[in-house]
Amino acid sequence: MTAQAEIERAEETEAMTVREAIRMGLREELERDEDVYLMGEDVGKFGGVLEVTSGLWEEFGDERVRDTPISEAGFIGAATGAAATGTRPVAELMFSDFMGVSMEQIMNQMAKMRYMFGGKTEMPVTVRTTEGGGMGAASQHSGTVHAWIAHFPGLKAVAPGTAAAAKGLTKAAVRSDDPVFVFENKMIYEQQGEVPTDEEFTVPLGEAAVEREGEDVTVVATQRLVGESLQTADSLADDVSVEVIDVRSLYPLDTETIADSVRKTGRLVVADESPLSYGVHAEIVSRVQEEAFFSLDAPIQRIGTPDTHMPFSPPLEQEVLPDGDDVREAIELIT
Amino acid sequence: MTAQAEIERAEETEAMTVREAIRMGLREELERDEDVYLMGEDVGKFGGVLEVTSGLWEEFGDERVRDTPISEAGFIGAATGAAATGTRPVAELMFSDFMGVSMEQIMNQMAKMRYMFGGKTEMPVTVRTTEGGGMGAASQHSGTVHAWIAHFPGLKAVAPGTAAAAKGLTKAAVRSDDPVFVFENKMIYEQQGEVPTDEEFTVPLGEAAVEREGEDVTVVATQRLVGESLQTADSLADDVSVEVIDVRSLYPLDTETIADSVRKTGRLVVADESPLSYGVHAEIVSRVQEEAFFSLDAPIQRIGTPDTHMPFSPPLEQEVLPDGDDVREAIELIT
Amino acid sequence: MADYTLETEEGRREALRRMLTIREFDSTAGDYFADGEIPGFVHLYIGEEAVGVGACAALEPDDYIASTHRGHGHCIAKGLDPKLMMAELFGKQDGYCNGKGGSMHIADVDSGMLGANGIVGAGPPLATGAALSIDYDDREQVAVGFLGDGAVAQGQVHEAINLAATWDLPAVFVVENNRYGEGTPVEEQHNVDDLSDTAGAYDIPGVTVDGMDVTAVAEAVEEARKRARDGDGPTIVEAETYRYRGHYEGDEQPYRDEDEIEKWKEQDPIDRFSELLVDRGELTEEELKELRDEIEAEIEEAVEYAQDAPLPDPSEAYEDMFAEMPPEIERFASQARADGGSLGGDRR
Amino acid sequence: MADYTLETEEGRREALRRMLTIREFDSTAGDYFADGEIPGFVHLYIGEEAVGVGACAALEPDDYIASTHRGHGHCIAKGLDPKLMMAELFGKQDGYCNGKGGSMHIADVDSGMLGANGIVGAGPPLATGAALSIDYDDREQVAVGFLGDGAVAQGQVHEAINLAATWDLPAVFVVENNRYGEGTPVEEQHNVDDLSDTAGAYDIPGVTVDGMDVTAVAEAVEEARKRARDGDGPTIVEAETYRYRGHYEGDEQPYRDEDEIEKWKEQDPIDRFSELLVDRGELTEEELKELRDEIEAEIEEAVEYAQDAPLPDPSEAYEDMFAEMPPEIERFASQARADGGSLGGDRR
Ligand SMILES: Cc1ncc(C[n+]2csc(CCOP(=O)(O)OP(=O)(O)O)c2C)c(N)n1
Ligand SMILES: Cc1ncc(C[n+]2csc(CCOP(=O)(O)OP(=O)(O)O)c2C)c(N)n1
Ligand SMILES: [Mg+2]
Ligand SMILES: [Mg+2]
């Protein structure tokens, strides 16, 4: 289903930022289900370093919005153990770059317990984290590591590109009985969008959204690059008709929506901020060439970070950061 | 250069197992360079749980073959700090599944220091680790995680499929001033092969090897699947001419050797044990469709682990473990 | 009420029974591993029975435990069924994890057993997490994290204990100091004399007890449990013990000599406890012999059960990754289900 | 010979100079951050000068330090050049890292400065590693790992200290307890009273000193250094200190009040030390004023240098990933070099 349709179907919407949409989703889930609680470094009184959880501690108190020591392995491990024993933690990993500290609990416990135990446990844990360059935060606070989680069996990964998707995916993650990582790009927290206010609005895990219909070329994008691709598409409207898809869910991945689009357009650009080699793009390329090989009229183009870390200095950062211009160049190359 | 050529060029070779070849490589490097030392859990007196370092402690002593506490973050972090300060540690991470424990030092220090510091440090550290299913070791001791390292900027990754490559890549890794991960598949430690005995024999990082020439279809494989693909190729020889390439180096990846082959054969099967979604295969698929799009006669086929963990029970493990039969089926599908 | 407690005659006899069961189970598992009927790795608990049984004797049935790679003893101490355990070791469909887990991942969350664990030090964060659920829901349980001496060097253990201590969670950490982490002696892994000294880093009690004495372990864990339930946070209980067998079956043990093993065997926890019960007049040698025979038969039965149980159908490999199977896996699963008939054959 | 030591008049004046330099550097950096000339995050060391300077006063020039996200003070204490530091903060080609690192990653390995670090707790393993190199090569150095109070809760810190202690490596760990990890008070992060209590977990000395007293810090680190050089392994030195500014610039600090800050300022390390020198007759108020003016001018100059320095060419983004550029990156680099002329323009 297209994102448009979801929003049109919604009885009421409100304009808000991605940050507000996530916060709204979290607040609604905290209200809906007493088993749900938030935990993380400075998510409480401080309101979260990027202010996503701001106000929730005041509203829900110490038990349900918990500040942790600086112990990602400890609290993400605890969230894993807690999820196996009847509660539904939502952990904030302040920056996705800190994932390494807690990777063991993620890869060997959270991702594997259900399977190793022959299905003897549920694992309703959500991990929210921020990604991406663009704010001069340098190499250790600007990474995009979602390919790791999308690749690792037993984990689900979402990466919203719009405010509506941000709310809907956050809520779906919290309601899921599987571990879900929500990758929030830090540069779009202020991006505005219409968001359904319905408390039952969720975006199903595993469904992409056609954000803009087109005929000549498909752009499949994630996070910040969804908005930039939409702008690029608009700016090219006189010359080429661009379809833009927000992947939304990296795993499971909605192969059908993407392949259907390519069957129509015959051309594909994949835009995602992860480093290019072995990045998220490659999987989308592979599935499309598997599902729509004979529809492809040109090599699929990949737009991502060119295998460097995010450098500090603005001209360097701008150099390696993929953006709408890169998408434009790729479109021009194959149309 | 083809692997054949490398071996033919070698003045002398000796038949030995992959395990012996790695050990020989390590021994030669320990002898060659006093700055080189090994460290890891039970690599010394115990000889390594999979016996790769067996005998080296007796030969080189406590200082150069160091048993560590069970502290992967501590000793891989220490190896990182040591590499930045003038020595050349070779760390053994007993099973690649334990990578999560030390991922922070790998991703944020080892991989990034040179870049973040504007080139102000070298990082001559090697991490050897074992991967793969097939011995009933269950989900936490059978993983194939090399896609993570291949994807992460600033790290090099190799994954030998033959005894000669195992020796040559190990030595090249130790000699490199960059961090290199050597992914040893545990099921091929006993696999025999001819290995150059020359102490200066190395396999350059970033070069694939054509292990078998063919005309109709290319199989690009890694680790255990190199040998299995060669067997499959032989068994199909009457019907189809199969070229088999050992990727050897995941990053940098030798796109040219692979693309050249596909330009000739027009068909490609990629076989690697990593989980299929966002696995190593996808990058190879992507590069080939970028470099040889118009040479491709059929969709590229991927053979890997179907997005599960490695289950314990043999029939389950055999079910999900990719093998030569899977390669055969893929070849048959597209030829 | 606890499953069994060392405070009653009946409970003591049950404790003895469980210790004997562990020993019999594990030496039998060792035999079948040597025969090649059990795949993978097995780490035996023989010699350490007093620790698991003492600790679990201090627990209530719905308390949680998070175990280690050396988990069979914890399972039996916690009341898991040797039949289903053995079936799991044999990789059978009727095992605790339907054959997916094996020795290193036996689990039964409903019985409060949060899994053996192949990752050294991974249990304590899970125990802290279970304690968090308990605390969050105001339940009356505690969570026990078992770990080895080697695991004390793991960062996630430090984080887990610090978190539990800072939040006063109802957790207990039981360090099984069996003198070695694989082949490396405890002295080469840590600088402290007693591993319970690490408790000072969290300002929580740390005690070291004779881990070959089931009563000493039970008393220490009971006190720790009480403290945890009173809202005073975790305790570290170090139990000094010894494994008689290699690190895993097949270990040639170049790192220690027979003398050392023999010396520890003089402190055998089963001998000591059964002698105590005999001395006290609670048990006759006759009864002990009967008990041993009974258990031998029980384990033999477990082996038969395991041998007779069906292997899982290959298509089972695709189950249990998620609450619902995603399309990525479904395409393989449906293929395997379709192949079922042809490949299936005699699945035993 | 150390760069400077608190045992000579000249050395004490140098220490004072460095403390003043840190304060001036950081308050200036704060200003330019507020103005938007410095991008990213900056974490200022103001209030904590005695710790870095005291610690480095106890070191020899070729000793190593591994720093934190709050690293400017360590850099200046270790003798790095404020000009090149400021240029780095401004993202310029002439900065220590050619603009690639910024505030959180200033490094100068040749000066023994192993980098500020954006990851809490990541420095100690690097310090342990440097100590390993020292030990392996039988060199006469030590390696100091700085960490905050919050970092003590990190697993990798535990592993690093345990490893250094077990191997008796020449390392020193300096815990800067400034009472908060971001907005969370130390009491909510740990259960111990003094963070030096954690030393008990490694059976190494742990001392807590007045971190607002540069002499006290220097003495403790000197003793620790001596111990390390004698082959007796690491020491934990906890310095009780306080940051005057927010966690980072822009922090609104809902978690503490002005009173608390004012109370700590009464212990200001620069005032205390300069008063001591004045009282001792080593320094006149006049000279102090001159020193301040001199430093102010020096930092002003550093800013001018930074402002005038060129921004890096965009193609520099592709350098320094590896010893040699791999083809994966080369194709972007050559494109960028080709674009150079057109995009370059005035690169300031
Ligand atoms: C993180 C991690 N590192 C290493 C291993 C390999 N390993 C398995 S058991 C073991 C020794 C554990 O020693 P200890 O904690 O004392 O437990 P014991 O085996 O003595 O019961 C090691 C190193 C592992 N499983 N996980
Ligand atoms: C592993 C990790 N977790 C979280 C953060 C985010 N973070 C940056 S500084 C900081 C507080 C550190 O506190 P402390 O160690 O006391 O140092 P201080 O800032 O007080 O100097 C946090 C949580 C981080 N950089 N790294
Ligand atoms: Mg042990
Ligand atoms: Mg602090």
Side-chain angles (χ1 to χ4, degrees):
Chain A
M1 175 193 324
T2 71
Q4 252 76 16
E6 268 161 16
I7 291 189
E8 276 159 25
R9 214 185 28 156
E11 309 242 317
E12 260 177 81
T13 68
E14 211 175 276
M16 65 183 76
T17 64
V18 167
R19 178 186 283 113
E20 287 162 347
I22 298 168
R23 190 186 300 142
M24 180 185 241
L26 292 172
R27 179 185 291 115
E28 288 172 5
E29 293 308 300
L30 282 164
E31 263 165 11
R32 188 186 57 81
D33 186 350
E34 287 232 318
D35 287 343
V36 173
Y37 51 97
L38 313 187
M39 61 200 289
E41 291 154 12
D42 286 307
V43 294
K45 193 183 268 190
F46 202 89
V49 281
L50 296 173
E51 294 166 42
V52 176
T53 56
S54 150
L56 297 177
W57 175 77
E58 288 80 353
E59 202 173 330
F60 295 95
D62 275 344
E63 287 287 303
R64 304 201 56 205
V65 183
R66 307 175 79 102
D67 284 327
T68 67
I70 310 176
S71 296
E72 289 84 0
F75 77 76
I76 291 195
T80 304
T85 53
T87 57
R88 306 181 72 87
V90 179
E92 175 177 301
L93 182 66
M94 193 187 289
F95 287 82
S96 60
D97 309 78
F98 308 162
M99 193 171 283
V101 180
S102 52
M103 198 51 122
E104 146 51 29
Q105 284 286 322
I106 295 169
M107 74 186 279
N108 282 315
Q109 316 302 326
M110 188 191 285
K112 290 179 181 165
M113 276 170 78
R114 179 193 287 270
Y115 188 74
M116 294 190 304
F117 296 180
K120 287 231 160 114
T121 183
E122 304 278 295
M123 191 50 70
V125 55
T126 302
V127 180
R128 296 180 36 248
T129 188
T130 51
E131 294 194 307
M135 60 183 278
S139 300
Q140 290 175 341
H141 287 72
S142 308
T144 293
V145 303
H146 51 231
W148 278 2
I149 298 300
H151 173 55
F152 204 81
L155 303 171
K156 293 184 171 176
V158 300
T162 65
K167 175 181 169 180
L169 290 169
T170 300
K171 288 166 66 79
V174 176
R175 292 182 186 193
S176 168
D177 286 334
D178 293 315
V180 184
F181 280 69
V182 183
F183 290 100
E184 304 167 3
N185 179 283
K186 58 173 86 73
M187 299 308 286
I188 62 169
Y189 279 134
E190 294 289 317
Q191 175 187 303
Q192 292 266 346
E194 285 296 318
V195 175
T197 51
D198 180 1
E199 284 164 24
E200 286 308 311
F201 167 71
T202 61
V203 168
L205 307 176
E207 287 189 14
V210 178
E211 289 285 337
R212 182 185 197 283
E213 301 202 9
E215 303 298 323
D216 301 334
V217 57
T218 302
V219 176
V220 168
T222 66
Q223 298 178 319
R224 176 178 54 79
L225 292 166
V226 174
E228 301 215 5
S229 298
L230 286 168
Q231 282 173 20
T232 296
D234 287 344
S235 74
L236 290 171
D238 290 343
D239 306 316
V240 48
S241 165
V242 182
E243 179 142 313
V244 178
I245 295 177
D246 181 359
V247 175
R248 302 202 298 198
S249 189
L250 300 171
Y251 197 93
L253 176 67
D254 184 353
T255 316
E256 270 324 293
T257 296
I258 298 168
D260 279 347
S261 175
V262 177
R263 282 186 205 107
K264 176 176 67 174
T265 63
R267 294 179 156 78
L268 176 62
V269 175
V270 184
D272 173 80
E273 195 174 318
S274 56
L276 277 168
S277 288
Y278 304 91
V280 152
H281 330 74
E283 180 64 21
I284 297 172
V285 170
S286 298
R287 295 209 192 174
V288 167
Q289 78 89 36
E290 280 159 8
E291 299 292 322
F293 183 80
F294 297 101
S295 307
L296 276 171
D297 297 323
I300 302 168
Q301 301 297 306
R302 297 189 279 172
I303 300 301
T305 299
D307 290 7
T308 69
H309 307 298
M310 220 27 84
F312 166 67
S313 185
L316 302 182
E317 189 178 33
Q318 286 312 314
E319 170 66 25
V320 300
L321 207 60
D323 61 17
D325 285 341
D326 297 319
V327 173
R328 178 200 318 270
E329 281 170 33
I331 291 172
E332 284 167 355
L333 199 71
I334 54 170
T335 54
Chain B
M1 177 191 326
T2 70
Q4 251 76 14
E6 268 160 15
I7 291 187
E8 276 158 24
R9 215 187 25 155
E11 310 240 317
E12 262 178 78
T13 67
E14 210 174 276
M16 66 183 77
T17 65
V18 167
R19 180 187 283 113
E20 287 161 347
I22 298 168
R23 190 186 300 141
M24 177 184 245
L26 292 172
R27 179 186 291 114
E28 288 172 4
E29 294 307 301
L30 282 164
E31 264 165 10
R32 188 186 57 82
D33 185 350
E34 288 232 318
D35 287 342
V36 172
Y37 50 97
L38 314 187
M39 61 200 288
E41 291 153 11
D42 286 307
V43 293
K45 192 181 271 190
F46 202 90
V49 280
L50 296 172
E51 295 166 42
V52 176
T53 56
S54 153
L56 297 178
W57 174 79
E58 288 80 354
E59 199 172 333
F60 295 95
D62 274 343
E63 287 287 303
R64 303 198 60 204
V65 183
R66 309 175 78 101
D67 283 328
T68 66
I70 311 176
S71 295
E72 289 83 1
F75 78 76
I76 291 197
T80 304
T85 54
T87 58
R88 305 180 74 86
V90 179
E92 175 177 300
L93 182 65
M94 192 187 291
F95 288 81
S96 61
D97 310 77
F98 308 162
M99 193 171 283
V101 179
S102 53
M103 199 50 124
E104 146 50 28
Q105 284 287 322
I106 295 169
M107 73 186 280
N108 282 315
Q109 316 301 327
M110 186 190 287
K112 290 179 181 166
M113 275 170 77
R114 180 194 285 270
Y115 188 74
M116 294 190 304
F117 296 179
K120 287 231 160 111
T121 185
E122 304 279 294
M123 189 50 69
V125 54
T126 302
V127 181
R128 295 179 39 248
T129 189
T130 50
E131 295 193 307
M135 60 183 277
S139 300
Q140 290 175 341
H141 288 71
S142 307
T144 293
V145 303
H146 51 232
W148 277 2
I149 297 299
H151 173 54
F152 204 80
L155 303 171
K156 294 184 171 176
V158 300
T162 66
K167 175 180 170 182
L169 290 169
T170 299
K171 289 167 66 77
V174 176
R175 294 182 185 195
S176 169
D177 286 333
D178 294 314
V180 184
F181 281 69
V182 183
F183 290 101
E184 304 167 3
N185 180 284
K186 59 174 83 74
M187 298 309 286
I188 61 169
Y189 278 132
E190 294 289 319
Q191 176 187 304
Q192 293 266 348
E194 286 296 319
V195 175
T197 51
D198 179 3
E199 283 164 25
E200 285 308 310
F201 167 72
T202 61
V203 168
L205 307 176
E207 287 188 14
V210 179
E211 290 285 338
R212 180 186 200 282
E213 300 200 13
E215 303 299 323
D216 301 335
V217 58
T218 303
V219 176
V220 168
T222 66
Q223 299 178 319
R224 176 178 54 79
L225 292 167
V226 174
E228 302 216 5
S229 297
L230 286 167
Q231 282 173 20
T232 296
D234 287 345
S235 75
L236 290 172
D238 291 343
D239 307 315
V240 48
S241 165
V242 182
E243 178 142 314
V244 178
I245 296 178
D246 181 359
V247 175
R248 303 202 298 196
S249 188
L250 300 171
Y251 197 93
L253 175 66
D254 184 353
T255 315
E256 270 324 292
T257 297
I258 299 168
D260 279 348
S261 174
V262 177
R263 282 188 204 105
K264 175 175 68 174
T265 62
R267 294 179 156 76
L268 176 62
V269 175
V270 183
D272 173 80
E273 194 173 318
S274 56
L276 278 168
S277 288
Y278 304 91
V280 151
H281 330 73
E283 180 64 22
I284 296 171
V285 170
S286 298
R287 295 210 193 173
V288 167
Q289 78 89 36
E290 280 159 8
E291 300 293 323
F293 183 80
F294 296 102
S295 306
L296 275 171
D297 297 325
I300 303 169
Q301 302 296 306
R302 296 188 280 172
I303 300 300
T305 301
D307 290 8
T308 69
H309 307 298
M310 217 34 81
F312 166 68
S313 185
L316 302 183
E317 189 178 33
Q318 286 312 315
E319 170 66 26
V320 301
L321 208 60
D323 61 17
D325 285 339
D326 297 317
V327 173
R328 178 199 318 269
E329 280 171 32
I331 291 173
E332 284 167 353
L333 199 70
I334 55 171
T335 53
Chain C
M1 251 296 289
D3 257 0
Y4 58 108
T5 136
L6 297 191
E7 277 139 49
T8 65
E9 202 175 311
E10 205 192 327
R12 286 188 287 274
R13 191 174 291 214
E14 178 60 24
L16 179 63
R17 164 188 285 282
R18 294 197 187 196
M19 287 166 72
L20 285 163
T21 306
I22 293 170
R23 183 154 303 183
E24 184 64 23
F25 182 94
D26 262 5
S27 66
T28 306
D31 293 345
Y32 284 93
F33 178 83
D35 288 353
E37 278 199 62
I38 294 178
F41 292 117
V42 283
H43 304 82
L44 304 184
Y45 201 63
I46 296 174
E48 309 186 29
E49 296 89 346
V51 187
V53 171
C56 291
L59 302 184
E60 298 297 319
D62 66 347
D63 286 343
Y64 291 108
I65 65 169
S67 170
T68 68
H69 55 288
R70 200 174 299 290
H72 307 165
H74 306 138
C75 291
I76 291 171
K78 187 76 176 102
L80 269 62
D81 182 343
K83 280 213 302 286
L84 306 187
M85 289 174 58
M86 197 63 89
E88 188 58 35
L89 264 60
F90 277 71
K92 298 302 181 73
Q93 176 66 30
D94 299 343
Y96 269 111
C97 310
N98 311 135
K100 284 216 182 75
S103 165
M104 270 192 291
H105 307 298
I106 301 183
D108 188 23
V109 178
D110 288 343
S111 308
M113 165 60 191
L114 296 173
N117 211 311
I119 304 297
V120 168
L126 298 176
T128 294
L132 173 60
S133 273
I134 294 166
D135 189 56
Y136 186 80
D137 281 349
D138 281 326
R139 305 185 221 148
E140 303 285 309
Q141 303 149 286
V142 302
V144 175
F146 287 98
L147 62 154
D149 49 287
V152 173
Q154 279 284 319
Q156 59 174 328
V157 169
H158 167 70
E159 296 197 12
I161 301 177
N162 184 56
L163 189 61
T166 305
W167 286 358
D168 286 329
L169 295 178
V172 179
F173 299 98
V174 176
V175 178
E176 307 185 308
N177 183 352
N178 64 6
R179 318 300 312 166
Y180 292 91
E182 287 191 0
T184 306
V186 63
E187 296 76 20
E188 291 176 27
Q189 309 221 23
H190 307 282
N191 213 37
V192 283
D193 291 330
D194 288 325
L195 294 174
S196 60
D197 292 350
T198 55
Y202 317 102
D203 200 9
I204 59 174
V207 292
T208 297
V209 299
D210 180 350
M212 307 302 264
D213 176 356
V214 66
T215 320
V217 175
E219 278 168 7
V221 175
E222 201 175 309
E223 204 176 311
R225 187 185 190 283
K226 188 172 171 320
R227 205 181 107 83
R229 283 302 332 137
D230 287 348
D232 295 332
T235 300
I236 295 178
V237 177
E238 177 192 15
E240 296 191 300
T241 183
Y242 199 74
R243 64 168 154 75
Y244 296 174
R245 307 283 277 242
H247 168 64
Y248 38 45
E249 288 303 287
D251 170 7
E252 285 168 19
Q253 310 183 52
Y255 50 84
R256 65 177 183 181
D257 55 35
E258 201 53 46
D259 283 3
E260 183 181 292
I261 305 177
E262 287 310 314
K263 215 199 81 226
W264 276 91
K265 282 189 176 167
E266 288 164 22
Q267 299 297 320
D268 186 77
I270 294 179
D271 290 349
R272 277 171 68 182
F273 193 52
S274 58
E275 277 159 30
L276 183 86
L277 298 194
V278 170
D279 284 354
R280 280 210 202 146
E282 292 183 19
L283 186 80
T284 64
E285 291 287 354
E286 185 89 342
E287 285 168 321
L288 177 59
K289 166 106 189 31
E290 272 166 34
L291 198 55
R292 284 185 192 274
D293 291 346
E294 225 173 281
I295 287 164
E296 207 174 299
E298 195 192 332
I299 298 302
E300 221 165 89
E301 219 179 287
V303 169
E304 276 163 33
Y305 176 85
Q307 288 173 323
D308 289 344
L311 282 167
D313 185 86
S315 69
E316 287 288 325
Y318 304 104
E319 301 294 330
D320 302 323
M321 284 297 296
F322 295 101
E324 276 175 46
M325 193 180 285
E328 281 84 353
I329 299 178
E330 177 56 41
R331 65 195 181 99
F332 291 96
S334 51
Q335 182 65 42
R337 283 188 298 258
D339 291 350
S342 58
L343 292 179
D346 176 6
R347 306 205 332 270
R348 222 193 78 186
Chain D
M1 252 293 293
D3 258 358
Y4 59 107
T5 136
L6 298 190
E7 276 140 48
T8 65
E9 202 174 311
E10 204 192 329
R12 286 189 287 274
R13 195 176 288 214
E14 179 59 25
L16 178 62
R17 165 189 285 281
R18 293 198 187 195
M19 287 166 70
L20 285 163
T21 305
I22 293 170
R23 184 154 304 181
E24 184 64 22
F25 183 95
D26 262 4
S27 67
T28 305
D31 293 345
Y32 285 92
F33 178 84
D35 288 352
E37 279 198 60
I38 294 178
F41 291 117
V42 283
H43 303 83
L44 304 184
Y45 201 64
I46 296 174
E48 310 187 27
E49 295 88 347
V51 186
V53 171
C56 290
L59 302 184
E60 297 297 318
D62 66 346
D63 286 343
Y64 291 107
I65 66 169
S67 169
T68 68
H69 56 288
R70 200 175 299 289
H72 307 166
H74 306 138
C75 292
I76 291 171
K78 187 78 175 102
L80 269 64
D81 182 344
K83 282 212 301 285
L84 306 187
M85 289 174 59
M86 196 65 88
E88 188 59 35
L89 264 59
F90 277 70
K92 297 303 181 73
Q93 177 66 30
D94 300 342
Y96 269 110
C97 310
N98 312 134
K100 283 215 183 77
S103 165
M104 269 192 292
H105 307 298
I106 300 183
D108 187 23
V109 178
D110 288 342
S111 309
M113 164 61 192
L114 296 172
N117 211 311
I119 304 299
V120 168
L126 298 176
T128 293
L132 173 60
S133 273
I134 294 167
D135 190 56
Y136 186 78
D137 282 348
D138 282 325
R139 305 184 221 149
E140 302 285 309
Q141 303 149 287
V142 303
V144 176
F146 287 98
L147 63 154
D149 48 285
V152 173
Q154 279 285 317
Q156 58 175 329
V157 169
H158 167 70
E159 296 196 11
I161 301 178
N162 184 57
L163 189 61
T166 304
W167 287 358
D168 286 329
L169 295 178
V172 179
F173 300 98
V174 176
V175 178
E176 307 185 307
N177 182 352
N178 63 8
R179 317 301 310 166
Y180 292 92
E182 288 193 355
T184 306
V186 63
E187 297 76 20
E188 292 176 26
Q189 308 220 22
H190 307 282
N191 212 36
V192 283
D193 292 331
D194 288 326
L195 295 174
S196 59
D197 292 349
T198 54
Y202 317 104
D203 201 8
I204 57 174
V207 292
T208 297
V209 299
D210 180 352
M212 307 304 263
D213 176 356
V214 67
T215 320
V217 175
E219 280 169 5
V221 175
E222 203 175 308
E223 204 177 311
R225 188 185 189 285
K226 188 171 171 317
R227 205 180 109 81
R229 284 299 337 135
D230 288 348
D232 295 332
T235 302
I236 295 178
V237 177
E238 177 191 15
E240 297 191 301
T241 182
Y242 199 73
R243 68 168 151 75
Y244 295 176
R245 307 282 280 242
H247 169 64
Y248 38 46
E249 290 303 287
D251 171 8
E252 284 169 16
Q253 308 182 55
Y255 50 85
R256 65 178 183 180
D257 54 34
E258 201 52 46
D259 282 3
E260 184 181 292
I261 305 177
E262 286 311 313
K263 215 199 82 229
W264 277 90
K265 282 189 176 168
E266 287 164 21
Q267 300 297 321
D268 185 75
I270 295 182
D271 290 349
R272 277 171 67 183
F273 192 53
S274 58
E275 275 159 29
L276 183 87
L277 298 193
V278 170
D279 283 354
R280 282 211 198 144
E282 292 182 19
L283 186 81
T284 64
E285 290 288 353
E286 186 90 339
E287 285 170 320
L288 177 60
K289 167 105 188 31
E290 272 166 34
L291 196 57
R292 283 185 192 275
D293 289 347
E294 225 174 280
I295 286 163
E296 206 174 299
E298 196 192 330
I299 298 303
E300 221 166 90
E301 222 180 287
V303 169
E304 275 164 33
Y305 176 85
Q307 288 174 322
D308 289 344
L311 282 166
D313 186 85
S315 67
E316 287 288 325
Y318 303 105
E319 302 293 331
D320 304 323
M321 284 298 296
F322 295 101
E324 276 175 46
M325 194 180 284
E328 281 84 351
I329 298 178
E330 178 56 40
R331 63 194 184 102
F332 290 96
S334 51
Q335 182 64 41
R337 283 190 297 261
D339 291 349
S342 59
L343 291 179
D346 176 5
R347 306 202 337 267
R348 219 194 80 187

